[in-house]
Amino acid sequence: MVSALKNLSDYDESNVPSAEGLSFGIVVSEWNAKVTHALYEGCYDTLIRHGAKEEKIHLLQVPGSFELTVGAKMLADEHKVDAVICLGCVIKGETKHNEYINQAVATGLTSLSMFYSRPFVFGVLTPDTEEQALDRAGGKHGNKGVEAAVTAIRMANLKKAMKGGKPKIGF
Ligand code: DLZ
């Protein structure tokens, strides 16, 4: 398995376009807060490191991952951000609740992306255990919050480039 071999959050910073001038929304689920707060740290730091300004990053906390979709819409409506990043962690339990929540969020964020023609990034961990989650929230498999931020920056730049009529291959 690839993730057993490498930290997937390692990336070439020089290949990421600038986040300067862009605005972002970050929606964070409070369920499994130890994990989601670590995802948030990784996400926020990455946006700042690539040039985003503190005042252009809007944070919203929601009770659970199921609420990420509506939280994302609220941010998009209120702040007209260039990209929204949704961070959550749904741990598999004895019942199928995880499947319903994950499916609803994935479908909801896809719908929002289509409706707004803007990126709504799926930064939701779907592990079997808390240990697997922590491995991906600053542990041995990196931090998926970092990856979600990079995706948001890339997609927001893609949209900007298309508006300017200058799409290009590569980053
Ligand atoms: C109810 C619930 C359960 C059992 N597990 C999780 C979880 O692992 N991660 C998560 O983000 N949220 C969980 N929730 C809460 C739901 O996402 C949602 O907040 C409630 O069902 C209320 O709509």
Side-chain angles (χ1 to χ4, degrees):
M1 213 192 339
V2 176
S3 62
L5 302 175
K6 76 183 263 236
N7 177 342
L8 297 176
S9 298
D10 283 342
Y11 68 98
D12 180 359
E13 294 204 359
S14 65
N15 269 342
V16 178
S18 173
E20 205 179 333
L22 295 173
S23 59
F24 298 90
I26 306 178
V27 192
V28 183
S29 159
E30 280 304 305
W31 260 79
N32 303 311
K34 191 170 157 193
V35 175
T36 60
H37 289 186
L39 294 175
Y40 171 73
E41 297 286 328
C43 177
Y44 182 86
D45 290 351
T46 303
L47 294 178
I48 295 290
R49 195 166 59 251
H50 287 284
K53 293 282 169 287
E54 202 182 316
E55 61 273 17
K56 289 199 161 200
I57 302 175
H58 304 278
L59 170 67
L60 192 67
Q61 298 192 53
V62 294
S65 291
F66 189 78
E67 285 72 40
L68 287 169
T69 309
V70 70
K73 185 176 187 309
M74 287 176 187
L75 270 185
D77 288 339
E78 187 66 24
H79 296 291
K80 314 266 182 282
V81 286
D82 293 299
V84 181
I85 302 156
C86 295
L87 302 174
C89 172
V90 186
I91 300 177
K92 191 166 167 31
E94 288 183 3
T95 65
K96 289 189 175 172
H97 76 274
N98 60 310
E99 292 177 21
Y100 290 104
I101 297 172
N102 294 336
Q103 189 61 55
V105 180
T107 306
L109 296 185
T110 303
S111 300
L112 287 178
S113 298
M114 295 302 165
F115 182 76
Y116 286 94
S117 289
R118 258 180 268 169
F120 286 76
V121 179
F122 184 87
V124 180
L125 297 181
T126 59
D128 288 341
T129 63
E130 187 186 48
E131 188 188 354
Q132 286 180 348
L134 291 169
D135 286 346
R136 290 157 180 80
K140 66 182 178 195
H141 294 312
N143 189 322
K144 297 292 168 189
V146 171
E147 296 173 38
V150 170
T151 299
I153 296 169
R154 286 183 167 167
M155 290 303 294
N157 268 277
L158 201 58
K159 170 132 189 176
K160 205 168 71 176
M162 291 187 82
K163 265 191 188 162
K166 288 184 249 163
K168 65 177 180 106
I169 301 290
F171 294 101

